[in-house]
């Protein structure tokens, strides 16, 4: 189960608490959870007897305090992952992402931190090459950094990253690093139009693309 799925479950559970037909113990747990959140008092979480509510209470307090250590008190694996994920995103801290148990959730967390901190080195901690390339792609585009694009292994994604950077920097030397002919031609076309310089079109080998330039 993903963190997104877990958040949906949390939302449904809390929505159903508004029903007068639910047991008083559930309504009491929800009430305590809200009081703990308002008073920022973790001791109130400790007296909640129903574990899912206790876990959510600890997560709420962890987020408010931006304290990942509080997440260690959460029992359910999905909720614990959710807790660490929220803190990691708030603090842009990749080390907290790595406390997450579910591997896919770790990768999503690391990608978010890398992109929002514009730190490509964080992408290296991702254990899926597809996710890692995706991470480098978005960081490279955000930073307009050729060196980040060059860290992408998959050629198509690397070329797309270089194409984006070349357009942002209007630098034709970047076009020479693009392998795919279509993307290379697009690179020259984009810069020629941006700079209003038809001589750049002479770098295009394919006749039709040169004519369109």
């Amino acid at each position: 189960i993903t963190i997104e799925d877990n958040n949906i479950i949390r939302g449904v559970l809390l929505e159903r608490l508004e029903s007068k037909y639910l047991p008083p113990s559930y309504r009491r747990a929800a009430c305590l959870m809200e009081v703990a959140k308002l008073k920022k008092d973790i001791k109130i979480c400790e007296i909640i007897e129903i574990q899912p509510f206790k876990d959510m209470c600890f997560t709420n307090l962890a987020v408010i305090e931006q304290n990942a250590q509080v997440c260690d008190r959460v029992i359910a694996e999905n909720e614990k992952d959710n807790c660490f994920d929220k803190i990691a995103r708030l603090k842009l801290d990749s080390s907290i992402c790595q406390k997450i148990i579910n591997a896919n959730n770790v990768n999503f967390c690391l990608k978010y931190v890398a992109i929002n901190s514009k730190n490509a080195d964080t992408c290296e901690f991702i254990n899926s090459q597809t996710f890692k390339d995706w991470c480098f792609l978005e960081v490279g585009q955000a930073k307009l950094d050729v060196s980040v694009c060059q860290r992408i292994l998959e050629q198509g994604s690397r070329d797309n990253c270089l194409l984006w950077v070349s357009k942002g920097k209007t630098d034709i030397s970047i076009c020479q690093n693009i392998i795919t002919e279509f993307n290379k031609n697009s690179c020259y076309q984009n810069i020629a139009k941006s700079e209003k310089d038809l001589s750049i079109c002479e770098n295009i080998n394919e006749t039709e693309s040169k004519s369109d330039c």
Side-chain angles (χ1 to χ4, degrees):
I1 185 169
T2 65
I3 286 172
E4 289 75 14
D5 292 333
N6 189 63
N7 286 335
I8 292 171
I9 293 169
R10 280 164 54 96
V12 171
L13 182 60
L14 292 174
E15 183 179 335
R16 289 181 178 175
L17 282 171
E18 296 177 1
S19 170
K20 63 182 179 180
Y21 300 108
L22 284 174
S25 59
Y26 276 64
R27 293 199 294 274
R28 178 176 183 274
C31 178
L32 287 170
M33 187 172 69
E34 288 305 310
V35 172
K37 185 177 179 180
L38 290 171
K39 298 186 73 171
K40 301 178 183 178
D41 187 348
I42 199 167
K43 292 180 180 179
I44 297 174
C45 297
E46 293 170 351
I47 65 174
I48 296 175
E49 297 176 351
I50 301 173
Q51 194 61 50
F53 290 100
K54 181 178 287 189
D55 285 347
M56 285 189 282
C57 188
F58 285 135
T59 296
N60 289 340
L61 269 293
V63 170
I64 290 170
E65 298 174 3
Q66 294 191 25
N67 183 356
Q69 290 183 333
V70 177
C71 299
D72 288 321
R73 306 180 72 165
V74 177
I75 301 299
E77 180 179 308
N78 294 329
E79 185 62 31
K80 182 172 287 191
D81 278 2
N82 182 50
C83 186
F84 284 130
D85 182 79
K86 286 183 174 181
I87 305 301
R89 290 172 185 247
L90 282 170
K91 301 182 77 172
L92 296 180
D93 188 337
S94 61
S95 67
I96 298 175
C97 291
Q98 295 179 73
K99 293 178 180 290
I100 295 171
I101 299 165
N102 181 283
N104 282 335
N105 290 337
V106 173
N107 290 335
F108 276 114
C109 181
L110 288 169
K111 186 172 78 71
Y112 179 92
V113 171
I115 293 166
N116 286 276
S117 62
K118 295 185 179 180
N119 184 355
D121 290 338
T122 298
C123 300
E124 290 289 358
F125 294 112
I126 295 174
N127 62 15
S128 160
Q129 190 59 52
T130 300
F131 265 85
K132 189 177 291 188
D133 282 351
W134 185 11
C135 182
F136 285 136
L137 172 65
E138 296 203 33
V139 175
Q141 290 176 336
K143 294 181 69 176
L144 295 179
D145 189 331
V146 171
S147 67
V148 176
C149 295
Q150 296 285 21
R151 295 168 77 170
I152 300 171
L153 293 187
E154 200 276 316
Q155 181 181 299
S157 296
R158 185 171 63 248
D159 282 355
N160 286 333
C161 185
L162 291 168
L163 178 61
W164 179 279
V165 174
S166 68
K167 188 174 182 180
K169 302 185 81 169
T170 59
D171 182 353
I172 62 170
S173 67
I174 298 172
C175 302
Q176 297 167 10
N177 295 315
I178 297 175
I179 305 300
T180 309
E181 185 176 14
F182 177 81
N183 283 335
K184 180 175 285 191
N185 292 340
S186 296
C187 182
Y188 288 125
Q189 287 175 338
N190 291 337
I191 297 175
K193 291 175 182 177
S194 176
E195 297 295 294
K196 295 180 174 58
D197 185 353
L198 288 176
S199 67
I200 295 173
C201 301
E202 294 302 316
N203 291 285
I204 300 173
N205 294 322
E206 200 268 315
T207 306
E208 186 175 347
S209 296
K210 183 180 287 189
S211 299
D212 292 338
C213 184

